[in-house]
């Protein structure tokens, strides 16, 4: 019986258990128009990757705790000291100093608006979000960048006030744990597992 | 970066004149099950040799180093594919290198080959690009393409690149298009034009005689973008031979065309549009700061630059490239262009980044009829025809080959060989494609100068490739 590949870190090394790949046989590809002659072969591949979040790990951990973290350059020698980054950037893109982690949850609840949006009827393989996906790009006061995310309730419009929601139950520890709803949405209307 | 140093704004310089002497390409299609990638590359190189009346072996004898553009190893499922192609082309033991910059791979490959010749390292370089996107079904293909977005912050959101463009389309439509239906129809017209031109191109994968309403009724992929607003997924190869002056003269000795001067410049911007910060617009030679002073008043919300509506990478590639080649006004100085129409909206955005129209006024390039081979409003030649090949929407987007295909297309106009290359019955027959009864010669008459844009990601890498007839240069060599 197969088991999802699992990984933890001990002594700064990966410890793995379970199945990281699944075996499937090759199957010939033949030409129906020409006597079923051989044209090629399928190469099945199903593999689990091991991916490090590094300095962004606090951001993804915080989502599961209902917090939106961003970063700020506090380097007094930086020409652009005070730049606030969301998406969370580990290092300032100007001075390359290590940024300070800041909690933006309150600010996001008070002043986040939709900068632009789109409604996606189709997705690529392996997409775990329900369709249609309402992509939104979220603008915050006094933040220099614009976060890409998705709206879980209502119809998006440019300039619409939105508030963050977090997948605190059974989090995936991915960017999908962060979503948004129109300001004023009640807690009991949120998708399963999500809370403010 | 939002401010540039003097050093960063240096106009790039080639140490000696560089020429494109010939080019070639394979058939392009959604799937080519009966050919391996190397067979397609050999088709392209053989064509390049034929165009200068040489055998492939004769042409190969001039090649000194090779630049291979191939974007997605995971599509072809072959790492070091460059070594396979290089061996099958019989070019060992010459030095070669693989180049990958997403959708801009073809242009970047020309960039590298041009620099190799300009520096004196090689007198003749091969730029060859290819892509094999038929080894996975379309949904899986969309997944693989979405891996070219940020894998932690963007890709998990739908695994669909069209979506990452659609947010730009939405913003552009609402701000610069003022959410007008007429603007949406103008976008659709781009698709009609490109599928229509593809009908005259035997290499092209998606010839279609369609209307604006057909585009607007095609299935929504990521609103407001519909299926017919989007580029193709393709298989195919294209190549170009880049030389110094002496070698160019030798190779073109028995050719019916002359070598063309080539310049390539590159720009970049953040992979995630999210990371773009406000900055001043870097100006092209035909612009002034004054003309953008009131942009935010004319188009409320349009004063954030580049925001989600401009491509800084495109702007910077033109900033460098125009000054290298002496272009002061693209609409006046250029005769033919090939833009990277990954989506109708990005085609439109590029008109502004390239200074063909000022920021906010891109739609006029289409609505005036200037972008057509023959202006539908006046019946006269279009002022600056674009994407006569059919572009990425009508001809192909075999990613690593795309920028080279576009450059070849421009060269065929400047050589006055467009009708021969696209019209001969034997090519249509070889590809098993019926030549339309209303086939039309789309040669841009008297074309002397062209520009091709190769563009990656949501504007992460962009190159401007400029080709000029050496008897019609815009500035003296430094
Ligand atoms: Zn800094």
């Amino acid at each position: 019986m197969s088991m999802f590949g699992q990984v933890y870190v001990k002594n700064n090394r990966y410890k793995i258990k379970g199945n990281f790949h699944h075996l499937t046989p090759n199957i010939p590809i033949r030409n129906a128009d020409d006597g079923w002659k051989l044209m090629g072969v399928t190469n099945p591949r199903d593999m689990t990757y091991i991916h490090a979040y590094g300095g962004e790990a606090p951001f993804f951990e915080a989502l599961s705790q209902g917090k939106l973290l961003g970063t700020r350059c506090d380097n007094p020698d930086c020409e652009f000291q005070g730049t606030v980054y969301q998406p969370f950037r580990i290092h300032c893109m100007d001075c390359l100093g290590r940024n300070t982690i800041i909690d933006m949850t309150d600010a996001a609840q008070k002043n986040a608006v939709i900068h632009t949006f789109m409604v996606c009827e189709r997705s690529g393989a392996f997409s775990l979000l329900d369709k249609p996906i309402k992509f939104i790009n979220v603008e915050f006061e006094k933040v220099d960048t614009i976060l890409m995310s998705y709206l879980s309730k209502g119809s998006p419009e440019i300039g619409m006030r939105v508030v963050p929601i977090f997948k605190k139950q059974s989090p995936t520890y991915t960017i999908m744990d962060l979503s948004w709803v129109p300001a004023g949405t009640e807690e009991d209307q949120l998708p399963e597992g999500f809370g403010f | 970066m939002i401010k540039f140093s003097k050093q960063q704004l240096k106009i790039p310089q080639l140490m000696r004149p560089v020429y494109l002497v010939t080019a070639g390409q394979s058939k392009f299609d959604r799937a080519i099950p009966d050919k391996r990638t190397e067979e397609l590359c050999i088709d392209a190189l053989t064509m390049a040799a034929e165009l200068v009346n040489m055998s492939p072996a004769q042409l190969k004898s001039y090649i000194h180093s090779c630049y291979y553009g191939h974007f997605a190893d995971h599509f072809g499922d072959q790492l070091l594919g460059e070594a396979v192609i290089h061996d099958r082309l019989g070019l060992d033991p010459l030095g070669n290198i693989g180049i990958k910059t997403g959708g801009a791979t073809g242009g970047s490959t020309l960039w590298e080959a041009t620099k190799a010749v300009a520096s004196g390292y090689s007198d003749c370089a091969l730029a060859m690009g290819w892509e094999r996107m038929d080894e996975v079904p379309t949904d899986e293909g969309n997944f693989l393409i979405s891996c070219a977005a940020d894998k932690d912050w963007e890709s998990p959101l739908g695994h669909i690149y069209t979506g990452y463009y659609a947010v730009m389309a939405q913003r552009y439509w609402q701000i610069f298009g003022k959410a007008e239906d007429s603007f949406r129809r103008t976008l659709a017209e781009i698709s009609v034009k490109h599928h229509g031109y593809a009908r005259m191109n035997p290499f092209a994968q998606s010839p279609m005689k369609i209307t604006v309403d057909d585009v607007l009724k095609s299935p929504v992929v990521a609103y407001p973008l519909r299926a017919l607003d989007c580029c193709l997924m393709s298989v195919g190869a294209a190549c170009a031979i880049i030389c110094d002056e002496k070698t160019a003269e030798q190779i073109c000795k028995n050719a019916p065309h002359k070598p063309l001067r080539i310049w390539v410049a590159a720009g970049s911007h953040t992979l995630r549009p999210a990371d773009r910060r406000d900055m001043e617009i870097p100006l092209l030679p035909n612009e002034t700061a004054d003309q953008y002073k009131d942009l935010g008043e004319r188009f409320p919300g349009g004063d954030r630059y580049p925001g989600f509506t401009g491509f800084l990478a495109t702007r910077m590639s033109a900033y460098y490239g125009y000054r290298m080649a002496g272009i002061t006004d693209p609409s006046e100085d250029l005769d033919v262009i090939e833009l990277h129409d990954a989506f109708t909206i990005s085609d439109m955005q590029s008109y502004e980044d390239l200074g063909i129209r000022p920021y906010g006024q891109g739609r006029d390039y289409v609505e005036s009829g200037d972008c057509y081979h023959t202006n539908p409003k006046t019946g006269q030649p279009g002022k600056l025809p674009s994407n006569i090949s059919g572009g990425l929407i009508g001809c192909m987007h075999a990613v690593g080959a795309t920028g080279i295909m576009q450059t070849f297309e421009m060269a065929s106009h400047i050589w006055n060989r467009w009708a021969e290359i696209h019209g001969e019955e034997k090519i249509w027959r070889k590809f098993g494609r019926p030549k339309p009864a209303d086939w039309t010669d789309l040669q841009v008459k008297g074309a002397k100068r062209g520009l091709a844009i190769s563009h990656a990601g949501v504007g992460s890498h962009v190159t401007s490739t400029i080709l000029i007839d050496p008897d019609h240069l815009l500035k003296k060599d430094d």
Side-chain angles (χ1 to χ4, degrees):
Chain A
M1 199 174 116
S2 77
M3 175 185 164
F4 290 128
Q6 295 178 25
V7 188
Y8 64 97
V9 174
K10 178 98 179 143
N11 296 328
N12 213 27
R13 284 170 185 262
Y14 287 120
K15 304 284 178 190
I16 65 171
K17 71 178 181 182
N19 298 79
F20 280 76
H21 65 272
H22 300 274
L23 299 181
T24 315
N26 304 88
I27 293 171
I29 301 167
R30 295 186 173 277
N31 190 346
D33 298 325
D34 189 11
W36 297 97
K37 281 184 190 150
L38 183 68
M39 301 290 283
V41 68
T42 64
N43 281 325
R45 184 86 41 81
D46 179 359
M47 195 159 62
T48 300
Y49 279 73
I50 300 167
H51 173 49
Y53 275 146
E56 290 181 6
F59 172 86
F60 291 100
E61 185 95 273
L63 294 181
S64 67
Q65 299 154 354
K67 280 188 294 188
L68 179 66
L69 302 185
T71 59
R72 183 182 61 222
C73 175
D74 286 334
N75 175 5
D77 297 328
C78 177
E79 188 184 350
F80 301 97
Q81 182 195 358
T83 303
V84 178
Y85 294 106
Q86 182 61 270
F88 183 108
R89 278 179 92 95
I90 305 162
H91 292 271
C92 168
M93 66 164 88
D94 296 304
C95 66
L96 303 187
R98 187 101 180 174
N99 284 331
T100 307
I101 296 177
I102 55 172
D103 186 338
M104 288 182 44
T105 320
D106 277 354
Q109 278 159 352
K110 292 193 185 96
N111 66 43
V113 299
I114 295 180
H115 179 75
T116 185
F117 68 92
M118 71 96 188
V119 181
C120 186
E121 308 280 350
R122 264 170 78 170
S123 59
F126 304 107
S127 174
L128 296 170
L129 297 178
D130 294 333
K131 284 177 286 199
I133 305 166
K134 292 169 271 183
F135 276 145
I136 55 171
N137 300 78
V138 185
E139 199 181 313
F140 312 92
E141 265 173 38
K142 300 194 179 99
V143 175
D144 291 68
T145 49
I146 292 176
L147 179 70
M148 180 164 188
S149 191
Y150 65 104
L151 188 74
S152 284
K153 287 277 158 197
S155 296
E157 275 173 49
I158 290 178
M160 177 194 256
R161 277 258 296 112
V162 288
V163 294
I165 58 171
F166 303 91
K167 193 154 195 293
K168 294 189 265 192
Q169 286 169 28
S170 312
T172 64
Y173 302 99
T174 71
I175 197 68
M176 292 182 291
D177 289 348
L178 172 67
S179 183
W180 301 77
V181 292
T185 304
E186 301 292 333
E187 181 120 34
D188 61 6
Q189 296 177 320
L190 302 186
E192 205 185 323
F194 278 85
F196 290 113
Chain B
M1 195 184 301
I2 51 177
K3 269 169 74 176
F4 305 106
S5 67
K6 202 174 95 208
Q7 293 90 326
Q8 289 160 346
L9 289 180
K10 169 198 142 94
I11 301 311
Q13 202 171 358
L14 306 181
M15 301 307 285
R16 56 177 176 166
V18 182
Y19 293 83
L20 179 144
V21 290
T22 186
Q25 62 194 21
S26 71
K27 176 186 182 177
F28 301 113
D29 216 334
R30 175 68 186 93
I32 304 186
D34 62 342
K35 286 202 174 192
R36 293 178 70 91
T37 308
E38 57 259 43
E39 296 176 82
L40 300 169
C41 292
I42 289 172
D43 286 348
L45 189 58
T46 301
M47 179 177 189
E50 283 168 359
L51 287 179
V52 286
N53 294 321
M54 277 188 181
S55 69
Q58 280 172 313
L59 182 59
K60 273 170 52 180
S61 72
Y62 289 91
I63 296 171
H64 177 258
S65 59
C66 303
Y67 302 83
Y68 293 127
H70 170 228
F71 169 43
D73 291 325
H74 53 3
F75 262 106
D77 199 16
Q78 170 69 65
L79 293 184
L80 271 186
E82 297 84 4
V84 177
I85 302 300
H86 192 66
D87 162 53
R88 303 300 194 273
L89 291 173
L91 288 166
D92 288 313
L94 301 178
N96 75 81
I97 189 168
I99 288 138
K100 49 184 93 275
T101 56
T105 296
S108 300
T109 304
L110 291 167
W111 189 41
E112 288 305 312
T114 298
K115 288 186 293 179
V117 171
S119 71
Y121 184 95
S122 292
D123 293 337
C124 178
L126 168 67
M128 171 76 78
W130 65 86
E131 211 70 46
R132 175 116 231 161
M133 304 178 83
D134 61 349
E135 299 218 336
V136 292
T138 302
D139 274 2
E140 282 74 5
N142 275 321
F143 167 79
L144 293 178
I145 293 168
S146 82
C147 296
D150 185 300
K151 73 185 215 175
D152 290 325
W153 292 79
E154 298 175 324
S155 307
L157 302 174
H159 289 295
I160 180 109
Y161 226 91
T162 316
Y164 316 142
Y165 267 92
V167 293
M168 308 182 91
Q170 183 68 247
R171 180 97 189 157
Y172 189 101
W173 179 27
Q174 297 216 12
I175 288 179
F176 295 119
K178 301 187 184 274
E180 293 167 6
D181 282 344
S182 60
F183 175 83
R184 186 63 192 83
R185 294 185 75 80
T186 299
L187 276 190
E189 195 179 323
I190 296 168
S191 172
V192 174
K193 164 175 166 271
H194 296 184
H195 283 292
Y197 286 158
R199 294 181 63 242
M200 311 307 163
N201 182 354
F203 299 89
Q205 169 183 338
S206 186
M208 290 170 88
K209 205 171 185 170
I210 49 170
T211 64
V212 163
D213 287 322
D214 292 332
V215 178
L216 297 177
K217 281 183 202 144
S218 66
V220 171
V221 177
Y223 186 80
L225 296 180
R226 293 168 181 269
L228 287 172
D229 286 300
C230 304
C231 63
L232 304 163
M233 252 191 229
S234 312
V235 180
C239 73
I241 303 287
I242 308 296
C243 298
D244 73 334
E245 192 161 299
K246 193 166 137 224
T247 312
E249 280 165 11
Q250 289 166 357
I251 292 179
C252 288
K253 204 167 77 187
N254 296 313
H257 66 240
K258 57 184 156 185
L260 304 177
R261 287 288 295 274
I262 183 169
W263 293 263
V264 190
S268 70
H269 204 199
T270 59
L271 180 64
R272 299 183 298 219
D275 296 284
R276 298 175 173 189
R277 291 183 293 170
D278 271 8
M279 61 180 289
E280 280 180 25
I281 301 176
L283 298 173
L284 296 179
N286 61 328
E287 292 176 327
T288 61
D290 271 1
Q291 77 186 85
Y292 293 127
K293 262 191 336 212
D294 61 345
L295 194 61
E297 289 156 40
R298 286 183 286 133
F299 302 100
D303 45 0
R304 190 172 177 127
Y305 182 84
F308 277 48
T309 49
F311 294 118
L312 177 62
T314 310
R315 174 48 60 119
M316 290 313 293
S317 75
Y319 181 97
Y320 293 126
Y322 287 1
R323 290 168 169 99
M324 285 170 90
I327 294 167
T328 52
D329 181 343
S331 297
E332 297 303 325
D333 296 338
L334 298 170
D335 304 307
V336 58
I337 59 173
E338 284 281 319
L339 300 175
H340 189 95
D341 52 330
F343 302 97
T344 51
I345 185 65
S346 53
D347 200 62
M348 171 85 68
Q349 288 167 282
S350 299
Y351 311 156
E352 301 173 1
D353 298 316
L354 295 171
I356 296 167
R357 287 294 185 279
Y359 280 109
Q361 295 167 44
R363 61 190 290 179
D364 182 66
Y365 178 51
V366 179
E367 291 167 0
S368 64
D370 284 357
C371 68
Y372 284 87
H373 174 269
T374 303
N375 186 325
K377 299 226 157 65
T378 63
Q380 298 299 306
K383 186 167 174 64
L384 181 57
S386 77
N387 294 35
I388 306 282
S389 67
L392 284 68
I393 287 176
C395 178
M396 65 79 133
H397 191 19
V399 184
T402 304
I404 302 175
M405 174 281 284
Q406 297 170 310
T407 302
F408 178 36
E409 173 75 17
M410 279 196 302
S412 71
H413 288 285
I414 302 174
W415 288 330
N416 197 26
R417 296 184 75 178
W418 195 93
E420 167 202 345
I421 290 168
H422 299 80
E424 282 186 357
E425 300 283 350
K426 66 174 187 201
I427 302 174
W428 291 89
R429 269 201 307 276
K430 188 170 107 182
F431 293 159
R433 291 175 167 153
K435 186 176 175 181
D438 61 346
W439 185 85
T440 309
D441 179 0
L442 296 179
Q443 167 70 41
V444 173
K445 293 210 170 61
K448 303 295 178 206
R449 306 184 197 103
L451 166 71
I453 298 300
S454 201
H455 173 125
V458 192
S460 68
H461 304 68
V462 176
T463 61
S464 285
T465 300
I466 297 160
L467 285 186
I468 300 187
D469 177 328
D471 297 322
H472 295 268
L473 296 183
L474 291 163
K475 68 179 246 204
K476 284 208 184 82
D477 292 315
D478 298 313

